[in-house]
Structures are given as C-alpha cells and as structure tokens.
Amino acid sequence: MGLLTVLKKLKQKEKELRILLLGLDNAGKTTILKKFNGEDISTISPTLGFNIQTLLYKDYKLNIWDVGGQKTLRSYWRNYYEENDAVIWVIDSSDIRRIDDCKEELKKLLDEEKFAGASFLVFANKQDLDGALTSEQIAKYMDLESLSTHHWEIKSCSAVTGQGLEEGIEWVVNDIISRCFILD
Amino acid sequence: MNNPNNNGNNKGSSTLDSISKEIEDRDEQRKLQQLRNKEIHQQTQIDLSNSNNITKCINEINQLEKEIENELQQIDLSTSSKDSTTTPLTIDSIKNTFNDIEHKIATMSLLLAESNHFLPLFEIKNLNLTISNVQKNTNTLKDKVIPKQKFSFKRAAKSSTPKVTNNTTIDTSIPSPAVAPLVDNESIFDNSNIKGFNGKELVYPPTATTSTSSSSDTINDLLISNLVDCKVILKMKVLTACKINNIKNCTIISHSPIDGSIFIDNCIDTTFSFSSRQIRIHYSSNCRFNIFVKSNPIIEGCNGIKFSSYPHRQLQLTDQDYSRFMQYNFDLININADTEKYKDVNDFDWLQTKPSPHWELVKEEQE
Ligand SMILES: Nc1nc2c(ncn2[C@@H]2O[C@H](COP(=O)(O)OP(=O)(O)OP(=O)(O)O)[C@@H](O)[C@H]2O)c(=O)[nH]1
Ligand SMILES: [Mg+2]
C-alpha cells in the first residue's frame, strides 16, 4: 500500500469514534444528544432500550450509544461496555435524593476493566434548575479527584439551554485523539 | 488503544501499515463483539423460555424475598431493641445491607421482567405484589433507621424565599400510617419544597411569594414529599421540573403546565392531575393519573395504576390559563399529536405485547 493511501485510510477510520452515554434514568441523556443535534427536545420519551445517535463534531463522526437508565435496564448496561473510546456519565444535578444511588452506579462502572483506556466525562446536567449542585460539589461527593485509572473531566451543562454541551463534547474528542494514534 | 503517539512523523510505511492493520483489527473486534452480544442475548431468552424455568424463576424470586425479609428483620431488631444483649449494627453496615437489599429487589424485578412471557398471569401478579411489598417494607424501614439528612448540600439558596414552616399540623398522638413520611415530621412549604404534612390543603406557590410575580415566575424545581391525606393545588406560571415521593392518600393537581419531567416514586392511593413533557412513575401502587403528556408515560415497579385524560374542563381553566399552556406548546383543546399520548404507557416490567396487568385506562371522572 502506498503511503498516501494508508494515510487517507487511517484518517477515515480514525475519525469515527464510539462513545457510551450512561447515567440514571431522568438524567437527561437523550435530551443532551437531541439538543446537541438541534432536534426537538420537548417530546422525548424515557428510553425503553437504547438508541444510537450519530453526531458530527468538527471532522469527527461520533457514534453515541444512549442506553436507558431505569433500574430494570441497568443490568443490561454491560452489553454495551466493549470497545468504547469514551464514556460520558450524565447526572441530574438537582436529584439530591438519588445521589447515593448515582454514586454507586458510577463506582461500579469505573471498576469495569473494559473501560480501561477510555476517556471519561461527567456531565453535571440540569444546571438551569435552582436546586442543582455545582460540578465542584458533585466531583467532591463522587470522589472523582481520587480517580487515577482514567482521564476524566467534569463539565456542568444544561441540555435545555444547551450551555456547556459543546465544551463537554470537545473535551471528549480532544482527549480521545490525543491518546490515539494521530498523524498530522 | 495501546499504541502511543510518540512515534515521529517520518516513520516508514511499515509502521503505517501496522497501525492501519491495528485499526482494522479493532473494527473487526467490535463487529465480533457485537455479534457475540447478540448471541448471548438470544441465548438467555431461549434459556428462559424453557418451561422448567417457571418454577425456577418463582423459587428464586421467593428465595430473594425471604432473604430480604430476614435482613430487614435483623436491622429492625438491632435498631429498635432496647435489650442490650443484641449488639447494635453500625450505620455503615446497615447502609451496606440496604444496598444489598436494593440490589436483590432489582434482581427480582429483572427476573420477573425476563420471565413475563412464560409465567402464568396470576403468578406474575403474585410476584409483582411480592416485589412491591418488599420494596415498600424496605423503604419504610430505611426511612425509619437511616437519618434523613444523608448529606447536606444546600440548595442554591434563594435568600428571598420566606419559609412557611408549619410544625403544628402533625398530630403526633395519632399512630403513623404504614407509610414512612411522618417519621420525619418537619414540615416545609416554600418555593422549592412541599414536605411533611398530614391532612392539609396546600395551595402552591406559598401566598407570601405570589404577590411578587417575579419570584413565582422563576420557580423551576419543586420537590413534593412525605404527605399523607393532603390536597395540593399547584398554580404557578410554569414549572420546569417536579419530583414527588412518599405520598399516601393525597390529591395533587396542577393548574399549570410542567415543562419538563415529573418523577414519581413510592406513592400510594393518590390521584394526580398534571400536564407535562414526561411522566415517570416508580414503585407506586393504586394511583390515578389524569394527564396530558407529550411523551409516553412510563411505569416501573408499579401496580394498580389508572390513566385518564387531563380534566382541564373540570379544573375550569381561564382563557389566560389556556394561553399559558399554549405558550409552552401544550394544546389542551384541539386534537393533536399529544392528545392521546397518555394512553401509550410503557411498563418497564412488562416487555411483551399483550397488555400489562399493572395499569389500565379509565374514563375521565365526571363531576
Ligand atoms: N431543566 C432541565 N431539564 C432537563 C435537562 N436535561 C433534561 N431535562 C429534562 O429531564 C427529563 C429527562 O430527560 P431524558 O433525556 O429523557 O433523560 P434520560 O437520561 O435519557 O432518561 P432515560 O432514557 O430514562 O435513561 C426530560 O423531561 C428533560 O426535558 C436540563 O438540562 N435542564
Ligand atoms: Mg433517554
């Protein structure tokens, strides 16, 4: 194979990234995706299984797997653990009552070996709500600081206003490409 | 992902070849894994459809129930007993046990969900009852033994919010009902909370703030919890998010649109009238929902749930009300894509096509 062909091929392949989107039910996962994509967010139903959404960001094609977060679905999450470039964990920052539940599910996820090497973003969503915890409070409560197994970042956002979404996605994409083999 | 990017740019094509091979391998791997996942999924379904599994499934759920009841009893004994021969459990170990119990309950629901298609109907009903009972018992005990204030982030304080605290409403001489709420008998009625009342009629937002319309406009996150025998009427301009839990024998009616989700957990014998984007109902029984909703309502761990349309005529909404609903795209009057959404309920414990036994549609109540 000639050098140019290889380069071209490489570029094409590398531009497709696989990202897993998880979090408790009602966190706002599906809303984040639809909002980012400029679709209507007022008629989204709670996710019954999963859906795959392709987002185009800069030159990248992001295949995002959005898996429903209801209790009855959580044991199926593991079916989606393979081969992700990044994991995005979405939190309803106003849901203080279930924050322990959230912390526990997150901990289980981080212990999962299949995510070794994946970039890890936490979206502290619903920042537009009065009762929302700040991303600092969440990072502290969730013990993210002590997390050394992953490249991680927490970003506050609101899927309703759109604030913070792009910054989050940008971090994910940059973090993935800085780790993967990229030829300029 | 083990290929470091510290190779110089001028490497020969052999390196490139190997990299591109690696990428192809990765893609190949992904495809294989996807196939494998599919197979595993199909396998578990086939395994479960074997009729031997009927008894196996029932036994397993019942076994889990027994274990949980035992654990609950132990916690109850150790925390309520005054006799010094039983060693008290530490709060950590109690929490751990509760985690364990919740895990078991989730497993029970899952087992049931997976077995819906081969279990006889009356078994499903029984098992559902079993599960919702242990869930209830667990919640009750948990609220009793684990201190309420698990941690105390303050809500982004709205300094202007007057707190109408009402400690006199709860008559402590009446034995508390089987539901947890009254253990914690602090009553709060402010912009973001309606909590801890018994036998009251409450009109929200608190009157102290309705006069300053600016503050009632910005209400966007309301928590309603721990109510027994109450009537709650919501009359704000609009609400963005609403969470409701631990409610028994109440009526909760909103005269305004909720432009976001309503998250309901652990409610019994209660009637709700709402219009919202999403309605999510969890671990509740014998409740009625008169709703206008812009997506499919969902239930999980529920029993005896009735759905009907939002009674906007009975509520005698004014023209002003209707136009406020319209402003947030809730068209209550004309037939439209949302009019019948309330009928398309998704039951997370019922993944088959025949109707779920956990909910039904009912006619709108006549005056
Ligand atoms: N106020 C506010 N509401 C939000 C925000 N993001 C999502 N929501 C609302 O939260 C509710 C749940 O959003 P979904 O996107 O369905 O949540 P999900 O995480 O996909 O939930 P599952 O599919 O059940 O796992 C919806 O009613 C959204 O409108 C936000 O940033 N702010
Ligand atoms: Mg969803």
Side-chain angles (χ1 to χ4, degrees):
Chain A
M1 221 185 304
L3 181 59
L4 266 180
T5 337
V6 175
L7 274 174
K8 213 165 145 197
K9 191 161 181 182
L10 213 50
K11 272 244 162 93
Q12 277 167 0
K13 290 265 175 173
E14 222 23 74
K15 280 179 175 172
E16 216 168 295
L17 306 176
R18 175 174 156 139
I19 297 171
L20 181 62
L21 192 61
L22 288 176
L24 301 191
D25 48 310
N26 200 42
K29 299 178 289 295
T30 311
T31 310
I32 287 178
L33 289 185
K34 300 283 175 199
K35 182 72 180 183
F36 194 84
N37 232 12
E39 294 173 42
D40 178 21
I41 58 165
S42 68
T43 57
I44 296 170
S45 291
T47 308
L48 203 47
F50 67 93
N51 51 85
I52 306 172
Q53 179 114 19
T54 305
L55 299 185
L56 295 176
Y57 181 71
K58 299 204 167 143
D59 290 336
Y60 294 88
K61 188 173 163 198
L62 316 179
N63 294 317
I64 307 198
W65 294 63
D66 164 24
V67 187
Q70 307 292 331
K71 257 208 176 116
T72 23
L73 294 178
R74 292 183 204 159
S75 49
Y76 295 109
W77 282 358
R78 58 181 61 261
N79 294 346
Y80 306 90
Y81 285 176
E82 304 289 338
E83 302 291 344
N84 292 291
D85 295 306
V87 181
I88 301 179
W89 179 261
V90 183
I91 298 178
D92 173 351
S93 310
S94 74
D95 194 0
I96 296 173
R97 194 173 68 97
R98 291 199 299 161
I99 198 159
D100 284 330
D101 199 7
C102 178
K103 181 178 178 178
E104 202 180 305
E105 293 291 352
L106 178 61
K107 198 168 164 296
K108 271 191 234 158
L109 203 70
L110 287 167
D111 288 342
E112 185 57 56
E113 280 171 17
K114 287 172 183 148
F115 296 133
S119 308
F120 196 87
L121 175 72
V122 176
F123 260 139
N125 190 33
K126 305 203 186 182
Q127 288 297 320
D128 57 298
L129 296 182
D130 286 344
L133 303 174
T134 64
S135 56
E136 291 79 19
Q137 287 173 314
I138 289 175
K140 194 154 171 244
Y141 192 73
M142 300 265 166
D143 254 343
L144 291 177
E145 270 90 2
S146 67
L147 185 62
S148 54
T149 42
H150 295 263
H151 281 206
W152 67 271
E153 177 66 66
I154 183 166
K155 297 272 187 198
S156 35
C157 71
S158 163
V160 164
T161 65
Q163 168 258 328
L165 297 185
E166 178 156 357
E167 287 88 330
I169 301 292
E170 183 176 27
W171 180 84
V172 168
V173 170
N174 285 341
D175 194 65
I176 297 171
I177 60 184
S178 71
R179 277 185 300 104
C180 293
F181 15 73
I182 282 300
L183 301 165
D184 293 319
Chain B
M1 304 286 138
N2 47 12
N3 205 328
N5 57 354
N6 53 3
N7 294 336
N9 279 342
N10 300 328
K11 289 282 161 158
S13 62
S14 63
T15 317
L16 285 172
D17 275 343
S18 81
I19 292 172
S20 93
K21 173 134 194 341
E22 213 164 308
I23 293 167
E24 270 161 23
D25 284 353
R26 189 185 70 167
D27 284 351
E28 200 54 37
Q29 287 283 328
R30 286 180 184 184
K31 267 192 214 121
L32 275 176
Q33 189 59 44
Q34 274 165 17
L35 277 180
R36 233 175 289 148
N37 287 346
K38 237 185 240 157
E39 265 167 30
I40 290 171
H41 197 70
Q42 276 162 3
Q43 251 168 32
T44 49
Q45 289 196 333
I46 290 164
D47 285 347
L48 281 172
S49 59
N50 180 336
S51 67
N52 269 342
N53 284 308
I54 294 183
T55 38
K56 215 165 131 194
C57 169
I58 296 174
N59 285 343
E60 196 154 342
I61 292 180
N62 286 335
Q63 176 62 30
L64 283 167
E65 187 221 355
K66 245 185 242 147
E67 287 174 28
I68 294 174
E69 290 299 348
N70 269 336
E71 286 171 317
L72 288 178
Q73 204 178 8
Q74 268 170 19
I75 295 177
D76 198 22
L77 275 178
S78 112
T79 50
S80 59
S81 151
K82 292 188 183 69
D83 121 45
S84 53
T85 51
T86 43
T87 26
L89 298 168
T90 66
I91 188 80
D92 276 342
S93 83
I94 291 177
K95 277 186 184 163
N96 278 339
T97 315
F98 273 117
N99 284 343
D100 180 49
I101 289 174
E102 265 151 26
H103 190 78
K104 281 182 185 155
I105 294 176
T107 314
M108 289 165 81
S109 308
L110 189 77
L111 275 171
L112 185 56
E114 296 248 37
S115 331
N116 266 335
H117 60 282
F118 64 78
L119 283 179
L121 201 60
F122 81 98
E123 290 295 356
I124 294 178
K125 267 197 191 136
N126 269 341
L127 293 174
N128 253 309
L129 207 64
T130 309
I131 295 175
S132 71
N133 277 339
V134 287
Q135 180 76 50
K136 237 177 276 164
N137 294 343
T138 307
N139 290 346
T140 311
L141 189 65
K142 195 171 177 184
D143 283 340
K144 190 171 129 198
V145 302
I146 295 190
K148 263 284 136 106
Q149 224 50 22
K150 271 197 244 163
F151 76 109
S152 56
F153 283 133
K154 295 211 175 57
R155 294 172 71 97
K158 288 235 143 173
S159 50
S160 62
T161 307
K163 202 172 195 176
V164 184
T165 314
N166 196 337
N167 284 320
T168 52
T169 39
I170 290 166
D171 183 354
T172 41
S173 66
I174 295 171
S176 353
V179 112
L182 295 186
V183 179
D184 169 10
N185 52 10
E186 180 200 8
S187 309
I188 307 176
F189 188 57
D190 65 20
N191 264 348
S192 49
N193 266 290
I194 302 176
K195 180 182 171 186
F197 290 94
N198 192 352
K200 289 280 274 185
E201 175 160 336
L202 301 153
V203 180
Y204 175 94
T207 37
T209 58
T210 36
S211 51
T212 53
S213 61
S214 65
S215 83
S216 54
D217 279 0
T218 57
I219 296 163
N220 66 13
D221 186 9
L222 175 63
L223 191 63
I224 303 177
S225 62
N226 300 13
L227 303 180
V228 180
D229 301 334
C230 287
K231 179 166 185 178
V232 178
I233 300 173
L234 306 179
K235 286 186 163 173
M236 58 282 149
K237 181 170 179 269
V238 62
L239 195 65
T240 318
C242 186
K243 304 185 190 81
I244 303 178
N245 60 73
N246 292 9
I247 306 290
K248 187 183 171 162
N249 199 31
C250 294
T251 304
I252 303 181
I253 300 173
S254 173
H255 287 242
S256 320
I258 293 162
D259 201 27
S261 70
I262 303 176
F263 189 98
I264 288 167
D265 198 4
N266 199 24
C267 296
I268 24 179
D269 303 334
T270 290
T271 299
F272 301 86
S273 300
F274 278 130
S275 61
S276 75
R277 283 190 189 175
Q278 286 188 346
I279 295 197
R280 301 164 169 263
I281 307 161
H282 301 269
Y283 305 102
S284 295
S285 58
N286 197 26
C287 289
R288 178 178 175 123
F289 289 85
N290 306 317
I291 51 172
F292 182 93
V293 64
K294 294 165 77 68
S295 65
N296 302 340
I298 65 115
I299 63 175
E300 182 180 51
C302 287
N303 235 317
I305 309 290
K306 297 185 170 65
F307 290 94
S308 182
S309 56
Y310 183 65
H312 58 96
R313 283 186 193 86
Q314 271 159 263
L315 296 179
Q316 303 187 324
L317 300 183
T318 62
D319 285 350
Q320 207 185 348
D321 289 328
Y322 280 114
S323 68
R324 205 152 29 87
F325 274 92
M326 275 308 268
Q327 195 187 330
Y328 294 95
N329 282 317
F330 291 89
D331 183 353
L332 301 178
I333 297 174
N334 304 301
I335 304 277
N336 60 74
D338 302 328
T339 312
E340 307 242 292
K341 282 269 172 62
Y342 76 92
K343 294 182 175 173
D344 293 329
V345 179
N346 283 331
D347 181 352
F348 277 74
D349 304 304
W350 195 259
L351 306 170
Q352 49 175 312
T353 42
K354 61 179 171 170
S356 154
H358 308 140
W359 64 274
E360 61 182 319
L361 294 173
V362 294
K363 280 222 178 82
E364 191 173 316
E365 270 162 3
Q366 301 304 319
E367 287 196 53

